[in-house]
């Protein structure tokens, strides 16, 4: 090998390692696009689930229980500027949206004031105006702690479902907010989700240590429930799942806060628990949050992403309850997880990443809080953003680019944030890709140098 060729070879290899290896090992930082602090005292955290987004507007509410001023805010997603606010007076506990007569509306569930006891309402707003509410429910008397929507059989579009702290599920007409029916459950109703054709799944919690799952038909009659694993198991998560048995009805996935760490699946038709291949045993690592709508295994069935108390992420094959990827430790405790989508012309078309809200702990007693962006292919951390408190209300929104991951909305304490998802996956490369690039580069250089020797 001639001296110039040797120098060129070593220089190129050294340059490759210097350029690629820091990218493989370093964790980048999400860039903050804007933040908005709720200007109400005393400072009170924005409630979990009290944020939603429709189009290019984000909606969230304050939840001060000790005074008569609370606002539902509407902000421009691109810059965080306030579009409007509405004084609900009562704390805003839940924000959601629904469609009626082919028009989108925003709804807020309120209640829990110590100065206005016995008052709670669901408000419905036009998206871009706070001059008047589209409708306001009757006084529901118990705090509204969950809000959802379901296909209506009396109007065009959807009705609004409200879950109350006293265990009552209320169905409100989507066009005028009139009460269609009420159903009494055991415990406080923390979750209401449409199953299919207007039927809904209900999750409740009760004191001291129990939780229940119900399925109600569109007319308010009980299809099945309550379901629980033991009198001492608190229901923490309940979600709509895929149709495992092919009977045309989605199943229900549930997690109870207990030592076994199981994920259980119930038939959407009759509530029977699947015994094969479920339940999934997480071996005592308690599950804090889960997602179950994306297909990572490529078998045409949604898989389950779980985040745990021990700070692990795992992807479970939804069809056969086997571990597909993980567990991979991403922090000390995972609080919330959310999909991060790739967008094309504002439409989500591919999920390549996760946003994870977590807490880290270092001795002797230091707690730090982060949002971390994780590559779903191997659950490696790509980017992070440090927060002052637990990040809640994670919401992925389009940034209207064709090659980048969408932006992320979330709240921490009384502040709403928007951080950029750009380059969370691209153009950064995973370590496997970098290794392949280096091998190909070295091979190419060796072949080139060998040819040079032969010519000489």
């Amino acid at each position: 090998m001639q001296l110039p060729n040797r120098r060129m070879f070593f220089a190129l290899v050294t340059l490759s390692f210097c350029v690629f290896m820091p990218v493989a090992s370093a964790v980048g930082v999400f860039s903050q696009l804007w933040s908005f602090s709720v200007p109400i005292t005393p400072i009170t955290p924005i409630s979990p689930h009290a944020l939603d987004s429709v189009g290019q507007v984000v909606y969230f509410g304050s939840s001060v229980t000790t005074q008569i001023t609370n606002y539902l805010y509407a902000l421009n997603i691109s810059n965080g500027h306030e579009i409007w606010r509405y004084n609900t007076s009562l704390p805003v506990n839940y924000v959601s949206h629904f469609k009626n007569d082919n028009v989108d509306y925003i709804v807020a569930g309120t209640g829990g004031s110590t100065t206005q006891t016995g008052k709670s309402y669901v408000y419905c707003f036009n998206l871009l105006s706070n001059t008047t509410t589209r409708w306001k429910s009757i006084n529901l008397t118990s705090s509204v702690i969950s809000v959802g929507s379901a296909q209506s059989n009396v109007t065009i579009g959807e009705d609004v479902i409200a879950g109350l702290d006293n265990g009552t599920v209320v169905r409100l007409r989507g066009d005028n907010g009139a009460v269609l029916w009420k159903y009494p459950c055991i415990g406080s109703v923390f979750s209401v989700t449409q199953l299919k054709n207007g039927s809904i799944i209900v999750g409740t919690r009760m004191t001291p240590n129990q939780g229940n799952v119900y399925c109600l038909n569109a007319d308010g009659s009980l299809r099945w429930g309550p379901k629980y694993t033991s009198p001492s198991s608190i229901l923490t998560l309940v979600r709509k799942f895929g149709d495992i048995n092919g009977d045309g009805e989605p199943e229900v996935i549930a997690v109870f806060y207990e030592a076994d760490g199981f994920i259980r699946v119930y038939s959407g038709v009759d509530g029977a628990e699947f015994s094969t291949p479920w339940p999934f045993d997480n071996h005592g690592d308690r599950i804090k949050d889960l997602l179950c709508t994306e297909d990572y295994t490529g078998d045409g069935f949604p898989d389950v992403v779980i985040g745990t108390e021990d700070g692990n992420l795992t992807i479970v094959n939804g069809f056969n309850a086997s571990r597909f990827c993980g567990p991979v430790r991403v922090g000390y405790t995972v609080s919330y997880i959310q999909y991060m989508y790739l967008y094309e012309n504002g439409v989500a078309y591919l999920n390549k990443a996760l946003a994870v809200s977590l807490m880290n702990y270092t001795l002797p007693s230091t707690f730090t809080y982060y949002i971390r962006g994780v590559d779903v292919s191997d659950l490696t951390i790509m980017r992070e953003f440090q927060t002052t408190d637990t990040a809640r209300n994670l919401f992925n929104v389009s940034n209207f680019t064709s090659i980048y991951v969408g932006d992320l909305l979330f709240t921490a304490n009384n502040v709403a944030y928007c951080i950029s998802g750009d380059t969370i996956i691209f153009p950064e490369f995973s370590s496997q890709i970098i290794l392949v690039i280096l091998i190909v580069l070295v091979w190419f250089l060796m072949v080139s140098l060998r040819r040079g020797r032969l010519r000489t």
Side-chain angles (χ1 to χ4, degrees):
M1 184 185 297
Q2 296 177 356
L3 186 59
N5 286 340
R6 288 196 187 98
R7 288 176 177 171
M8 181 182 297
F9 173 80
F10 288 114
L12 287 173
V13 171
T14 302
L15 178 64
S16 300
F17 276 94
C18 290
V19 170
F20 286 113
M21 293 312 292
V23 176
S25 59
V27 175
V29 178
F30 284 111
S31 60
Q32 179 178 314
L33 299 178
W34 54 260
S35 65
F36 182 93
S37 298
V38 174
I40 297 179
T41 55
I43 293 176
T44 303
I46 298 169
S47 297
H49 311 296
L51 179 147
D52 200 359
S53 176
V54 183
Q56 287 295 287
V57 182
V58 56
Y59 304 87
F60 60 90
S62 62
S63 58
V64 180
T65 61
T66 57
Q67 62 183 39
I68 59 172
T69 300
N70 277 285
Y71 291 107
L72 177 69
Y73 296 89
L75 304 185
N76 186 313
I77 282 180
S78 63
N79 54 27
H81 292 170
E82 184 177 317
I83 299 173
W84 56 259
R85 68 173 68 177
Y86 181 90
N87 186 5
T88 61
S89 183
L90 297 169
V92 178
N93 304 317
Y94 211 106
V95 177
S96 186
H97 72 276
F98 75 107
K99 188 182 289 288
N100 190 264
D101 200 16
N102 295 315
V103 177
D104 286 309
Y105 298 96
I106 202 78
V107 284
T110 67
S113 172
T114 59
T115 60
Q116 302 175 78
T117 57
K119 288 187 177 181
S120 69
Y121 304 92
V122 174
Y123 292 85
C124 176
F125 297 88
N126 294 305
L127 297 183
L128 296 178
S129 174
N130 69 330
T131 54
T132 57
T133 56
R134 174 174 168 81
W135 51 257
K136 174 183 174 182
S137 73
I138 62 169
N139 182 9
L140 300 175
T141 68
S142 179
S143 183
V144 180
I145 60 174
S146 58
V147 179
S149 60
Q151 181 179 325
S152 178
N153 56 12
V154 295
T155 69
I156 300 174
E158 296 174 314
D159 296 324
V160 175
I161 313 297
L164 308 187
D165 190 41
N166 67 3
T168 306
V169 179
V170 183
R171 189 173 188 122
L172 306 169
R173 283 182 60 127
D175 56 353
N176 60 22
V179 174
L180 292 172
W181 51 256
K182 297 181 180 181
Y183 187 90
C185 297
I186 301 173
S188 59
V189 183
F190 75 93
S191 177
V192 286
T193 308
Q194 177 170 217
L195 187 64
K196 185 179 180 182
N197 297 330
S199 62
I200 59 173
I201 314 160
V202 178
T204 71
R205 297 184 182 126
M206 62 182 294
T207 303
N209 295 310
Q210 189 172 324
N212 303 283
V213 184
Y214 298 80
C215 184
L216 303 180
N217 293 311
D219 62 2
S221 60
L222 178 66
R223 179 183 297 181
W224 53 260
K227 293 287 181 179
Y228 59 91
T229 59
S230 71
S232 61
S233 295
I234 302 175
L235 178 67
T236 57
L237 300 165
V238 58
R239 303 278 193 272
K240 175 182 176 180
F241 196 37
D243 181 9
I244 293 178
N245 56 13
D247 61 3
E249 193 77 18
E251 321 305 352
V252 178
I253 196 166
V255 174
F256 294 82
Y257 195 81
E258 54 188 343
D260 61 16
F262 284 163
I263 298 176
R264 304 178 186 278
V265 177
Y266 299 97
S267 166
V269 173
D270 58 13
E273 182 177 352
F274 282 79
S275 58
T276 302
W278 298 88
F280 174 79
D281 187 354
N282 204 46
H283 304 290
D285 190 1
R286 291 174 172 171
I287 297 167
K288 300 287 287 185
D289 200 8
L290 65 80
L291 305 170
C292 56
T293 60
E294 294 294 298
D295 176 21
Y296 295 121
T297 58
D299 59 5
F301 196 84
D303 300 314
V304 182
V305 182
I306 58 178
T308 72
E309 194 172 66
D310 289 344
N312 293 312
L313 288 180
T314 301
I315 299 178
V316 180
N317 187 317
F319 192 72
N320 60 25
S322 63
R323 289 181 185 268
F324 176 67
C325 185
V328 173
R329 191 175 178 86
V330 294
Y332 177 70
T333 296
V334 171
S335 299
Y336 303 95
I337 52 179
Q338 182 57 274
Y339 296 121
M340 295 284 283
Y341 290 95
L342 294 175
Y343 286 85
E344 185 170 2
N345 299 322
V347 178
Y349 74 99
L350 184 63
N351 173 240
K352 301 292 288 185
L354 299 170
V356 182
S357 168
L358 55 89
M359 176 183 67
N360 267 347
Y361 172 77
T362 55
L363 294 174
S365 58
T366 302
F367 295 92
T368 51
Y369 304 90
Y370 291 93
I371 290 283
R372 284 184 171 154
V374 176
D375 186 340
V376 296
S377 63
D378 55 9
L379 300 181
T380 55
I381 300 170
M382 303 296 292
R383 287 185 177 270
E384 67 181 19
F385 183 88
Q386 188 169 354
T387 61
T388 58
D389 202 344
T390 300
R392 300 178 172 90
N393 298 312
L394 278 61
F395 201 98
N396 186 225
V397 293
S398 169
N399 55 16
F400 287 89
T401 62
S402 59
I403 59 173
Y404 294 136
V405 179
D407 299 327
L408 185 74
L409 301 170
F410 67 92
T411 63
N413 208 335
N414 69 320
V415 184
Y417 293 88
C418 182
I419 59 177
S420 173
D422 286 4
T423 69
I424 183 176
I425 300 298
F426 307 106
E428 296 177 88
F429 299 96
S430 68
S431 57
Q432 294 93 334
I433 295 175
I434 292 171
L435 181 60
V436 171
I437 292 173
L438 289 174
I439 292 173
V440 171
L441 179 59
V442 172
W443 175 83
F444 176 78
L445 289 171
M446 292 178 65
V447 171
S448 299
L449 293 172
R450 184 177 180 186
R451 288 177 178 174
R453 282 202 314 272
L454 292 175
R455 284 197 298 267
T456 59

